[in-house]
Each structure stands twice: as structure tokens, then as C-alpha cells.
């Protein structure tokens, strides 16, 4: 499966355009909803959660990203503020490149520009597929759609090779179902070979 968090720009090239390394501590905010996009981010070590909250304070997790993956770049091309937050789930080191330098990099490196276009196209494609599955009345289809979407961000092709780093409650929140339904459906998915569960960890 093609990864849709496919941007991994060579670190030497980023630093040639004055990129800097920055460390964020566990639970530290990298950027917040409403901030003006200022950097391209690429994870060197650690884990980052992209989320936001509705009017009732309920969390919606958009993705969880790890080493080698990038985030924040789509908003660098348009005059819009961030619609979500980026939070370090553990001590995380990123390399970040200022917006104007990032734009110069892709102007002067057409191959990178093409790769970004391909990456954004895949993100849109898998997002649409996930939304279609979420419209299903079948709990299994909803959960599988979510897992397919999350796995598409990682370079994992084999069955049961991708660790779903979400709690049962978070899966319920993301799919609009009750936790009891999630637990029951996950057991069914495990018995039918769709997923593997080891020490309560889900592998898809």
C-alpha cells in the first residue's frame, strides 16, 4: 500500500535551507488550532498526535505519526490557519523548516514538488475512502475503514504489521459507536483474522 504520509525530505537538504532541530517534551504542543502555519515539520524521533476538540470538549484524533513522517505541510500553500493541534505524545525531536524557506526549497527542487503533489493526492484519496466506510451501518466496515486510513500513513504492507495506537474509547469516538460495540466487533475481527490482538494491543 502506498503511504500517504510519504514526504520524507533528505535531512541534509532541509538543513541546506536553514532547517533546525527542535525537541518537544511529552504532552507539549507543537502548534495549536488557530495558529498561523509557519513551518514544515518532519519527525526524527518520537510520536505526534494531530487532534482537535468539538464544542462539547470531545476529542477527535486525526492521526498519530512517528519517525520519518511529516505533518503541517498542506497549510503552507494556502492562507488558512491550522484547523487542528499537533501534540507530542512522548519526547519528540523534529526538524522544522520555515515556511518561506520551504517554498524556496520546492521551487528549486521540482522533484520534491511533484512528490508533495502525489502525497497530497493520496491523502485526499484515502480520506474519501474512509468517509465512505464511516457512512456504513456496519461496525466492522467502519472500524476497517478507520484502520485502513491510519495504516495508509505508514509504510506497512503486511497483514497484522501495523500497530493501531488508539484506545478502545478513541476508536469509539472516531467511529461514532459505543465502546461496547467496539470491543465486541474487535473480538469478531480477531476471530475472523482481520486483526491480531496481543496484550490488548491491536495489529492490523
Amino acid at each position: 500500500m502506498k503511504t500517504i504520509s510519504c514526504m520524507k525530505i533528505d535531512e541534509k537538504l532541509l538543513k541546506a535551507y536553514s532547517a533546525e532541530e527542535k525537541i518537544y517534551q511529552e504532552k507539549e504542543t507543537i502548534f495549536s488550532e488557530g495558529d498561523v502555519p509557519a513551518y514544515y515539520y518532519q519527525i526524527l524521533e518520537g510520536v505526534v498526535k494531530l487532534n482537535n476538540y468539538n464544542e462539547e470538549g470531545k476529542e477527535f484524533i486525526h492521526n498519530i505519526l512517528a519517525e520519518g513522517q511529516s505533518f503541517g505541510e498542506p497549510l503552507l500553500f494556502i492562507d488558512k490557519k491550522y484547523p487542528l493541534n499537533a501534540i507530542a505524545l512522548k519526547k519528540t525531536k523534529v526538524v522544522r523548516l520555515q515556511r518561506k524557506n520551504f517554498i524556496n526549497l520546492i521551487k528549486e527542487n521540482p522533484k520534491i514538488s511533484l512528490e508533495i503533489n502525489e502525497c497530497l493526492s493520496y491523502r485526499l484519496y484515502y480520506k474519501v475512502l474512509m468517509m465512505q466506510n464511516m457512512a456504513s451501518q456496519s461496525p466492522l466496515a467502519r472500524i476497517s475503514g478507520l484502520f485502513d486510513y491510519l495504516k495508509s500513513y505508514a509504510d506497512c504492507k503486511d497483514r497484522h504489521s501495523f500497530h493501531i495506537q488508539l484506545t478502545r474509547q478513541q476508536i469509539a469516538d472516531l467511529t461514532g459507536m459505543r465502546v461496547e460495540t467496539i470491543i465486541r466487533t474487535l473480538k469478531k475481527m480477531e476471530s475472523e483474522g482481520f486483526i491480531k490482538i496481543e496484550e490488548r494491543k491491536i495489529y492490523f
Side-chain angles (χ1 to χ4, degrees):
M1 181 182 289
K2 178 76 174 181
T3 173
I4 60 171
S5 183
C6 46
M7 285 316 303
K8 185 179 180 181
I9 301 174
D10 184 84
E11 194 176 334
K12 291 181 180 178
L13 180 60
L14 290 171
K15 290 185 176 178
Y17 283 82
S18 301
E20 61 181 5
E21 292 185 7
K22 185 170 176 60
I23 293 176
Y24 296 90
Q25 300 302 321
E26 183 178 356
K27 298 184 180 179
E28 185 176 355
T29 298
I30 299 170
F31 60 72
S32 299
E33 183 177 356
D35 286 351
V36 175
Y39 295 96
Y40 165 84
Y41 296 92
Q42 191 163 291
I43 303 171
L44 300 178
E45 299 172 11
V47 181
V48 173
K49 173 174 69 174
L50 304 180
N51 76 341
N52 61 5
Y53 299 89
N54 64 17
E55 295 176 353
E56 298 162 354
K58 186 175 182 180
E59 182 183 28
F60 184 89
I61 297 173
H62 294 267
N63 216 324
I64 294 176
L65 304 172
E67 181 179 343
Q69 296 182 305
S70 61
F71 60 98
E73 66 269 27
L75 274 295
L76 298 177
F77 297 101
I78 58 177
D79 188 23
K80 298 291 183 181
K81 296 179 180 179
Y82 286 120
L84 41 69
N85 312 295
I87 300 168
L89 288 183
K90 62 181 183 179
K91 186 176 180 180
T92 296
K93 180 165 70 172
V94 305
V95 58
R96 66 180 193 178
L97 181 63
Q98 286 189 345
R99 183 176 190 167
K100 64 179 182 179
N101 294 344
F102 175 72
I103 297 300
N104 288 336
L105 184 155
I106 61 174
K107 283 181 177 178
E108 296 169 9
N109 296 271
K111 183 180 178 181
I112 300 292
S113 181
L114 289 172
E115 289 176 356
I116 289 174
N117 288 335
E118 182 182 20
C119 177
L120 296 179
S121 296
Y122 269 102
R123 288 184 183 181
L124 178 60
Y125 173 72
Y126 282 108
K127 188 78 170 182
V128 170
L129 290 184
M130 186 189 75
M131 291 173 64
Q132 290 174 342
N133 283 317
M134 288 298 186
S136 171
Q137 296 299 312
S138 165
L140 193 150
R142 286 194 187 189
I143 295 174
S144 294
L146 172 63
F147 289 0
D148 274 327
Y149 176 66
L150 295 174
K151 189 172 183 176
S152 66
Y153 271 80
D155 191 17
C156 299
K157 298 180 181 180
D158 297 333
R159 175 178 284 195
H160 305 155
S161 63
F162 180 65
H163 177 206
I164 302 295
Q165 299 187 54
L166 297 172
T167 66
R168 273 63 171 172
Q169 182 62 59
Q170 288 169 336
I171 295 170
D173 292 342
L174 284 167
T175 56
M177 295 186 290
R178 295 164 56 92
V179 175
E180 293 80 6
T181 302
I182 297 299
I183 294 171
R184 185 168 58 250
T185 305
L186 289 176
K187 288 180 179 178
K188 180 179 179 182
M189 292 175 72
E190 181 184 27
S191 68
E192 295 180 0
F194 287 104
I195 62 173
K196 181 172 66 174
I197 300 177
E198 292 182 349
E199 298 180 350
R200 290 188 53 79
K201 295 180 180 179
I202 304 168
Y203 296 90
F204 181 68

